[in-house]
Amino acid sequence: QVQLGESGGGLVQAGGSLRLSCAASGRTFSTYDMGWFRQAPGKEREFVAHINWSGGSTAYADSVKGRFTISRDNAKNTMYLQMNSLKLEDTAVYYCAARSYYSTSYDEPSKYNYWGQGTQVTVSS
């Protein structure tokens, strides 16, 4: 099994940047597909970005495409989300997710079996 922990959230002005990190325990991190999701108050948890086990394949929600970059460093057991040109609507709790099995579906929360506790990102005007 694996444990995930997010860090790097905080308060940032619109147009600014923030880098989130997700540190994972366990020796099988490099075999797990991973992703980022976010949830604003009163909203459903929504897909943000996905990265496959090797880092060779990524996918993004249309709302963040061109602004966010997902990456991973398997040697460090860490996944990252670089967020640039932040907008007010990016405000949410951001969650790190991982799965220990293969699936062609990457944008559904139910397709991930490990989750971090979440980190708050607040974008101000």
Side-chain angles (χ1 to χ4, degrees):
Q1 59 181 16
V2 64
Q3 292 183 347
L4 306 176
E6 303 96 332
S7 63
L11 177 65
V12 63
Q13 288 187 328
S17 297
L18 209 59
R19 191 192 198 198
L20 305 184
S21 298
C22 174
S25 67
R27 292 176 290 175
T28 58
F29 172 82
S30 63
T31 71
Y32 292 0
D33 290 346
M34 299 187 72
W36 289 96
F37 290 76
R38 66 188 183 186
Q39 188 166 21
K43 305 292 185 180
E44 292 186 341
R45 189 166 299 188
E46 68 172 351
F47 168 73
V48 176
H50 169 88
I51 187 165
N52 80 329
W53 67 271
S54 69
S57 181
T58 59
Y60 299 90
D62 288 341
S63 59
V64 307
K65 198 171 299 181
R67 300 188 297 119
F68 291 10
T69 303
I70 188 171
S71 62
R72 66 191 296 164
D73 187 339
N74 287 345
K76 296 181 178 180
N77 279 6
T78 304
M79 178 181 65
Y80 306 96
L81 184 68
Q82 178 66 47
M83 305 185 294
N84 298 327
S85 301
L86 283 162
K87 304 175 180 180
L88 293 178
E89 54 262 43
D90 294 320
T91 295
V93 176
Y94 283 71
Y95 295 93
C96 167
R99 64 186 177 202
S100 57
Y101 56 90
Y102 173 79
S103 175
T104 57
S105 179
Y106 55 81
D107 60 353
E108 302 174 44
S110 63
K111 302 303 182 181
Y112 297 81
N113 56 332
Y114 296 102
W115 291 87
Q117 82 286 352
T119 185
Q120 177 71 49
V121 172
T122 302
V123 183
S124 64
S125 60

